[in-house]
Amino acid sequence: MASLKALKIRIGSVKSTQKITKAMKMVAAAKLRRAQDAAVAGRPYAERLGAVLQSLASRVTVSESSPRLLAGTGRDQVQLLVVATSERGLAGAFNTNIVRAARRTAQTLEAQGKTVRFYLAGKKGRVLRRFYPDAILHDADLSAIKTPGFDDARAIADDLVRRYDAGEFDVAHLFYARFVSALVQEPTQVQLIPVESAAPSPTSASATSQSGADAAVEYEPDEEAILTDLLPRNLAVQLFRAMQENQASFFGAQMNAMDNATRNAGDMIKRLSIQYNRTRQAAITTELVEIISGAEAL
């Protein structure tokens, strides 16, 4: 049985930990609001831009003169998985869920005979080095970024385009956590390169026609010229959105993790306090018995 001194030290240690986790929960809750507003505000633009590009892509006849980000390389052998995680931990299963989704997709692609490469954006994604030590194409250092900006996303997008033009991969997929609520963060996968053409269903086509959005549109310049300018921009926008969603999801997950840790610390303090009181009472009882026994012996 632990001594009274050891129990007292342990109770003090758990109380100190509880203060830290409680403070981290309050900080995460304060940052969550701003990050959530930024993520929600950025969704309409990113979604609309993606829809416009898909619509344009569906109207363009792919040829040798088409932008490579639209036409692709003509192959799908080398698949690049862009894994966006956080730079810090203490957020429950936030990073683990993103990495697990990427690994699951990698295993599926490898089973199909594809070559898988990884582009890491976030320190916590480096755990993939343990499973795929020779498949890491690049590890972007985001440690200096406190709040993601569009320039940070554009730098990654430019690097991806450069590597794509160099023939380092054929298809790129992005993995991140979509913010649903403070309690729910949904691992999400989207195809970044090449842009997928929209394939509307009869129902959506009918709705579009009724709304008048399917009317004849004359582009100046032509569709391919517009796509040449918008495709790299869309890539940066989608990456920026993923970074914003990740940050909001991270603070939500961290707030919940620290809340659970604070409650668990409180439960542990109660159990240790009961054990301490029982041990102390047992020691007092033993001393009283010894005193009484000694007195009777006299």
Side-chain angles (χ1 to χ4, degrees):
M1 183 179 292
S3 65
L4 289 175
K5 183 178 181 180
L7 287 172
K8 191 172 183 179
I9 293 175
R10 190 176 180 189
I11 291 173
S13 176
V14 176
K15 285 183 177 179
S16 298
T17 302
Q18 187 184 41
K19 291 180 181 178
I20 294 173
T21 56
K22 187 175 182 180
M24 291 184 66
K25 173 193 171 184
M26 295 175 65
V27 171
K31 293 182 177 180
L32 172 61
R33 183 62 181 177
R34 183 180 300 176
Q36 178 181 350
D37 291 342
V40 172
R43 284 176 185 171
Y45 179 78
E47 292 174 355
R48 185 58 179 166
L49 179 58
V52 168
L53 283 179
Q54 286 185 346
S55 177
L56 281 173
S58 65
R59 300 169 185 267
V60 173
T61 301
V62 177
S63 63
E64 294 181 357
S65 62
S66 300
R68 282 173 54 86
L69 291 176
L70 170 65
T73 62
R75 305 180 304 274
D76 62 350
Q77 178 58 35
V78 182
Q79 302 273 338
L80 180 67
L81 307 185
V82 182
V83 184
T85 57
S86 67
E87 287 290 313
R88 293 174 293 163
L90 298 178
F94 167 73
N95 293 299
T96 303
N97 289 336
I98 300 174
V99 172
R100 185 182 293 118
R103 287 189 61 195
R104 191 180 300 117
T105 300
Q107 292 168 357
T108 301
L109 292 172
E110 288 179 335
Q112 298 172 359
K114 310 297 183 183
T115 301
V116 178
R117 296 287 183 267
F118 291 92
Y119 190 105
L120 307 181
K123 180 180 178 181
K124 292 304 176 178
R126 294 173 186 169
V127 67
L128 287 166
R129 291 183 180 275
R130 289 163 40 191
F131 308 102
Y132 303 94
D134 301 324
I136 307 300
L137 184 64
H138 182 67
D139 183 1
D141 185 10
L142 306 179
S143 58
I145 300 176
K146 294 183 178 180
T147 301
F150 184 71
D151 290 339
D152 302 315
R154 184 165 51 188
I156 297 177
D158 292 342
D159 187 36
L160 287 173
V161 172
R162 180 182 61 80
R163 294 177 183 274
Y164 181 63
D165 291 337
E168 296 186 23
F169 61 91
D170 299 318
V171 182
H173 304 271
L174 173 64
F175 293 85
Y176 66 97
R178 184 178 185 275
F179 179 81
V180 179
S181 68
L183 298 175
V184 181
Q185 300 84 37
E186 185 179 64
T188 304
Q189 174 185 353
V190 296
Q191 180 172 315
L192 284 179
I193 303 173
V195 172
E196 294 181 299
S197 298
S201 63
T203 304
S204 62
S206 175
T208 302
S209 178
Q210 293 175 3
S211 66
D214 199 28
V217 178
E218 183 176 337
Y219 292 95
E220 178 63 33
D222 59 17
E223 291 94 333
E224 289 192 1
I226 295 174
L227 286 171
T228 300
D229 180 68
L230 286 184
L231 285 170
R233 184 187 299 271
N234 175 66
L235 183 60
V237 168
Q238 300 306 325
L239 286 168
F240 181 47
R241 176 192 179 182
M243 295 171 72
Q244 288 183 314
E245 295 276 356
N246 258 9
Q247 188 173 51
S249 298
F250 170 77
F251 288 132
Q254 187 179 63
M255 184 183 71
N256 291 324
M258 293 301 100
D259 181 56
N260 292 334
T262 302
R263 295 186 181 186
N264 291 339
D267 294 339
M268 184 176 292
I269 290 172
K270 290 180 181 179
R271 292 196 299 269
L272 290 174
S273 297
I274 292 174
Q275 184 179 355
Y276 175 84
N277 291 332
R278 287 178 177 175
T279 303
R280 179 172 174 271
Q281 187 62 43
I284 293 174
T285 302
T286 301
E287 291 179 0
L288 289 175
V289 169
E290 291 176 352
I291 292 172
I292 294 172
S293 300
E296 291 179 352
L298 294 176

